[in-house]
Amino acid sequence: MATMKDVARAVGLSVTTVSRALGDHGDVAEETKNRIRDVAKRLDYHPNATARSLQNSKANAIGLVIPSRFHHAYDSFWLDFIGGMAAVCARRGIDLVLSAIQSPGELDDDFKRLIRSRRIDGIVICDVRRTDARIEYLKKHNLPFTAFGRTTGQDGFSYIDVDSAAGIVQAMEYLVGLGHRRIGFMDVDSAFSFSHFRLSGYREALYRAKLTYDPSLMSLDVGVNEAQSAASRLLSLPQPPTAIIAAADYLALAVLKVARARGLSVPQDLSLAAFDDNLTIQQAHPAITAISQPNRRLGEEAASLLLDRVSNPESPLVQRIIVPTLVTRESTCPPILEGPKMAVAH
Amino acid sequence: MATMKDVARAVGLSVTTVSRALGDHGDVAEETKNRIRDVAKRLDYHPNATARSLQNSKANAIGLVIPSRFHHAYDSFWLDFIGGMAAVCARRGIDLVLSAIQSPGELDDDFKRLIRSRRIDGIVICDVRRTDARIEYLKKHNLPFTAFGRTTGQDGFSYIDVDSAAGIVQAMEYLVGLGHRRIGFMDVDSAFSFSHFRLSGYREALYRAKLTYDPSLMSLDVGVNEAQSAASRLLSLPQPPTAIIAAADYLALAVLKVARARGLSVPQDLSLAAFDDNLTIQQAHPAITAISQPNRRLGEEAASLLLDRVSNPESPLVQRIIVPTLVTRESTCPPILEGPKMAVAH
DNA sequence: GTGAAAGCGCTAACAT
DNA sequence: ATGTTAGCGCTTTCAC
């Protein structure tokens, strides 16, 4: 494994000159540079990144904290996000260090070790919680970071997020435009910081459309295991919804399954829209109308934001919120026209 | 940011002693060790990983090469695999460096740079091609590596793989056991090294079951865009198959879609089994019988194999082949009993 | 049991 | 335009 010393010896110059030549500094004769470059190539010299890092106190790497076990509902989100980050890093010659963390939002020892090891120049944290201990830690230790997701209490950091509320509003307006008046809403585990925003989008849209706010139409904090029973409950209401918005794909799939089991056809008897447009949603039968967030771009932006801040710590803190788009498919249509209104026994 | 020097100064001892105390060497007085550990904790000292790496010529990191854009058909495979690797790395205090590569099987500059940078002690390469240039490069430069997937021409390296052939054989035997005699087979892009093995499993099973080998029942090299037309062709045969095995999930979903469009019901009119048991397959309607590979475990094993080899380069080269299991679901049943055979106009 | 000195491979003052 | 020297933070001989 050739080092700079080997190159210097081979070319008959000092290590310093070789360093400057390879770094393309101005104060080396062109001819010398070429000689050095030739020899370096001949010896198949590659710089030792570790030595370089130690010298400049720059790791040339950033970290990404991921959950140790992924929630399968978010498979394609994560992969796209990681792919986006990796692509930006590759383009800028930066390594991407992955760190699997047990309990998101917590401050575990592995996390601390990574932060303090000086192995990375910055970090992207995801799966941010309402108030996230990691954020305070990162601020305190002065490591540049970008969060994917906002927190509620904290501020003064760089983040990127999806405008969940706006996404839900779009879907609601679309359904209202189709003629729906009773629209159900199913939300994810409230530990996710975005659940809050998705719910508020629902409320906002109800308000704007002047629809009555009926709590029985909402199912909050619905995990994977409760999804089907929650869907059942909604469909069993005395006045069931004519449409449902599911804040995650697994919720939408559960609705689909339960509806099918009850002999309801989607969209004729029930319209359905989901947040997060992934393969499962697209491949479902019928294909599901979805609020689509640009997963890969989110990853790219997170990496860019962070790298900008790493290379220039004085640059302003950027908070970027991306508005998702609605992709309409087969799972939504106008509600069935009801007969003349009947009095309903309370 | 406290360094060892700071600790040494604070405790009034030499850097050497501090290093030995913190490394828990035998030649430091217990009492001194404790004093040093206390001070280190008080100063919130964390070792500088870069300096340590430079000194020991050990990066304490391994790499993983992933495709820059993922094929969505393999979302859950990749995430599970990455999660498995990350977990093993975390447990052993090793960083996982992700490198996104444009063209799998190729030797691009980013790959070379990563290999030669001494930033990683070893690497896992995936998506291995029939003959893979990266393998020769890694051998030449003597970097420990583990491949996920076998190659055909090369040998003398550590790999882990799924016994694709055995998986297909299992599915075939199950279908044959149900009474199927005309079983179609759809295979993925032949650039994937596993396509070869999946196909040979199909042939093997035909042979064992003494079924006639009918090339028209096979669709090879089927990409995402050709999936539906390939499925159509199979179902349009004069004597269509009563069952189809799809070597990947997107192929199975295409079959399902085409069958539905033709008014065929699965499994009554057509049984269907897929390789790789992921969420899409499980959530499909009907839920699809699948050959399931332990994705997370594959990642764990790949990391373990590699790390073992990194810590002991003399350890024997391990090749591990994991047999997948068949998960039967709603998409398979015995074929409809046909009436008395009729002559078919050719 | 503790310390002094050397060195991992590189870069950046500061000479000349 | 090139070389000398020092040092990034750590570990490891080798002394004492």
Side-chain angles (χ1 to χ4, degrees):
Chain A
M1 192 78 195
T3 77
M4 213 167 215
K5 210 159 145 187
D6 300 322
V7 177
R9 194 176 307 129
V11 78
L13 289 166
S14 76
V15 175
T16 313
T17 308
V18 173
S19 171
R20 281 189 296 226
L22 263 23
D24 202 22
H25 289 214
D27 54 356
V28 181
E30 264 314 314
E31 196 255 316
T32 317
K33 277 189 191 172
N34 287 330
R35 250 171 64 220
I36 291 178
R37 284 197 272 252
D38 287 352
V39 173
K41 177 159 273 177
R42 188 162 54 71
L43 296 184
D44 197 22
Y45 166 78
H46 285 247
N48 180 319
T50 309
R52 195 176 264 178
S53 290
L54 181 58
Q55 165 64 31
N56 347 300
S57 336
K58 281 220 51 188
N60 294 313
I62 59 173
L64 169 63
V65 181
I66 56 170
S68 159
R69 281 178 186 274
F70 295 93
H71 187 317
H72 271 295
Y74 303 108
D75 276 358
S76 54
F77 164 75
W78 278 107
L79 222 41
D80 286 340
F81 189 86
I82 292 175
M85 279 194 67
V88 169
C89 288
R91 201 178 311 139
R92 302 179 47 164
I94 298 292
D95 285 341
L96 180 59
V97 176
L98 227 56
S99 176
I101 242 66
Q102 302 298 332
S103 43
E106 295 298 309
L107 212 51
D108 69 14
D109 282 346
D110 288 337
F111 182 77
K112 287 189 189 169
R113 203 148 31 83
L114 180 63
I115 300 311
R116 310 299 304 283
S117 69
R118 300 263 139 228
R119 242 169 199 295
I120 54 174
D121 301 317
I123 194 164
V124 171
I125 58 174
C126 296
D127 217 353
V128 162
R129 299 301 152 125
R130 295 294 195 78
T131 56
D132 202 303
R134 297 173 298 177
I135 290 180
E136 297 311 319
Y137 191 81
L138 288 164
K139 279 185 182 172
K140 178 174 147 208
H141 291 290
N142 217 26
L143 189 77
F145 69 99
T146 296
F148 175 50
R150 289 161 274 180
T151 57
T152 42
Q154 298 145 311
D155 208 355
F157 62 95
S158 156
Y159 64 72
I160 179 165
D161 203 357
V162 169
D163 194 338
S164 291
I168 297 289
V169 167
Q170 277 180 72
M172 286 286 286
E173 288 182 343
Y174 175 66
L175 290 171
V176 169
L178 289 175
H180 292 274
R181 292 296 172 267
R182 287 186 65 76
I183 304 174
F185 180 69
M186 296 177 71
D187 204 356
V188 299
D189 189 330
S190 62
F192 291 108
S193 71
F194 57 76
S195 75
H196 168 70
F197 295 105
R198 293 188 185 177
L199 176 58
S200 73
Y202 175 67
R203 288 224 182 87
E204 164 85 16
L206 285 180
Y207 176 78
R208 284 201 213 167
K210 303 198 197 332
L211 294 178
T212 42
Y213 172 74
D214 178 351
S216 74
L217 286 175
M218 306 187 323
S219 260
L220 306 185
D221 223 337
V222 184
V224 179
N225 298 326
E226 301 96 61
Q228 291 198 30
S229 57
S232 280
R233 189 190 64 73
L234 284 180
L235 296 178
S236 306
L237 287 174
Q239 286 191 43
T242 62
I244 291 180
I245 294 186
D249 58 357
Y250 68 90
L251 297 173
L253 295 171
V255 170
L256 210 55
K257 196 159 206 167
V258 170
R260 191 148 42 206
R262 295 175 164 238
L264 294 174
S265 63
V266 174
Q268 292 80 6
D269 303 319
L270 178 72
S271 284
L272 179 61
F275 208 112
D276 205 358
D277 185 26
N278 60 36
L279 200 68
T280 337
I281 289 294
Q282 293 162 27
Q283 298 276 2
H285 182 74
I288 299 174
T289 291
I291 301 155
S292 172
Q293 41 183 342
N295 300 340
R296 187 178 174 91
R297 204 186 125 214
L298 287 166
E300 292 170 346
E301 295 264 9
S304 298
L305 247 54
L306 178 58
L307 288 173
D308 289 349
R309 218 156 143 80
V310 164
S311 51
N312 179 10
E314 304 311 317
S315 65
L317 283 168
V318 177
Q319 282 98 26
R320 187 159 300 161
I321 294 183
I322 292 182
V323 177
T325 55
L326 186 71
V327 180
T328 58
R329 296 213 180 81
E330 307 157 11
S331 70
T332 39
C333 76
I336 290 174
L337 290 173
E338 297 206 356
K341 247 183 198 149
M342 300 186 298
V344 175
H346 71 107
Chain B
M1 191 78 194
T3 77
M4 211 166 221
K5 211 159 145 188
D6 299 322
V7 177
R9 194 176 307 129
V11 77
L13 289 167
S14 75
V15 176
T16 313
T17 307
V18 173
S19 172
R20 281 189 296 225
L22 263 24
D24 203 20
H25 289 214
D27 55 357
V28 181
E30 264 313 314
E31 196 256 317
T32 317
K33 276 189 192 173
N34 287 330
R35 252 172 62 224
I36 292 178
R37 283 196 273 250
D38 286 353
V39 173
K41 177 160 272 177
R42 188 161 53 73
L43 296 184
D44 197 22
Y45 166 77
H46 285 245
N48 179 318
T50 309
R52 194 176 262 178
S53 290
L54 180 59
Q55 166 64 32
N56 328 314
S57 330
K58 281 218 53 187
N60 295 313
I62 60 173
L64 169 63
V65 182
I66 56 171
S68 157
R69 279 177 188 275
F70 296 93
H71 187 316
H72 271 293
Y74 303 108
D75 277 357
S76 56
F77 164 75
W78 278 108
L79 268 185
D80 286 341
F81 188 86
I82 292 174
M85 279 194 68
V88 169
C89 288
R91 201 178 310 138
R92 304 182 41 166
I94 298 292
D95 284 342
L96 180 58
V97 176
L98 226 57
S99 175
I101 243 67
Q102 301 299 331
S103 43
E106 295 298 310
L107 210 52
D108 69 14
D109 282 346
D110 288 337
F111 182 77
K112 287 189 188 167
R113 202 148 31 83
L114 179 62
I115 300 311
R116 309 301 303 284
S117 69
R118 299 261 139 233
R119 242 172 201 293
I120 54 173
D121 301 317
I123 195 164
V124 171
I125 59 174
C126 295
D127 217 353
V128 162
R129 299 301 153 125
R130 296 294 194 78
T131 56
D132 201 304
R134 296 173 299 177
I135 291 180
E136 297 311 319
Y137 191 81
L138 288 164
K139 278 185 181 172
K140 179 174 149 209
H141 291 290
N142 218 27
L143 189 77
F145 69 100
T146 296
F148 175 51
R150 289 161 273 182
T151 57
T152 42
Q154 297 145 309
D155 208 355
F157 62 95
S158 157
Y159 64 72
I160 179 164
D161 203 358
V162 170
D163 194 338
S164 291
I168 297 289
V169 167
Q170 278 181 71
M172 285 287 286
E173 288 181 343
Y174 175 66
L175 290 171
V176 169
L178 288 176
H180 292 275
R181 291 297 172 266
R182 287 185 65 73
I183 304 174
F185 180 69
M186 296 176 72
D187 204 356
V188 297
D189 189 330
S190 61
F192 290 108
S193 70
F194 57 75
S195 75
H196 169 71
F197 295 104
R198 293 186 185 178
L199 177 58
S200 72
Y202 176 67
R203 288 224 180 88
E204 165 86 16
L206 285 180
Y207 176 78
R208 284 202 213 166
K210 303 197 195 339
L211 293 179
T212 41
Y213 172 75
D214 179 351
S216 74
L217 286 176
M218 307 188 322
S219 261
L220 306 185
D221 223 335
V222 184
V224 179
N225 298 326
E226 302 95 61
Q228 292 198 31
S229 58
S232 282
R233 190 189 65 73
L234 284 179
L235 295 179
S236 306
L237 287 174
Q239 286 190 44
T242 61
I244 290 180
I245 294 186
D249 57 357
Y250 68 91
L251 297 173
L253 295 171
V255 170
L256 209 55
K257 195 158 204 166
V258 170
R260 189 149 41 208
R262 294 174 166 241
L264 295 174
S265 62
V266 174
Q268 292 79 6
D269 303 320
L270 177 71
S271 283
L272 179 60
F275 209 111
D276 206 356
D277 185 26
N278 61 35
L279 199 69
T280 337
I281 289 295
Q282 294 162 27
Q283 298 277 4
H285 182 74
I288 300 174
T289 291
I291 301 154
S292 171
Q293 41 182 340
N295 300 342
R296 187 177 173 91
R297 203 184 127 214
L298 287 166
E300 291 170 347
E301 294 265 8
S304 297
L305 247 55
L306 178 57
L307 288 173
D308 289 348
R309 208 140 159 87
V310 164
S311 51
N312 179 11
E314 305 310 318
S315 65
L317 283 168
V318 177
Q319 281 98 27
R320 187 160 300 161
I321 295 184
I322 292 182
V323 177
T325 55
L326 186 71
V327 180
T328 58
R329 295 211 180 82
E330 306 157 12
S331 70
T332 40
C333 75
I336 290 174
L337 290 172
E338 296 207 357
K341 249 188 197 142
M342 302 186 299
V344 175
H346 70 105

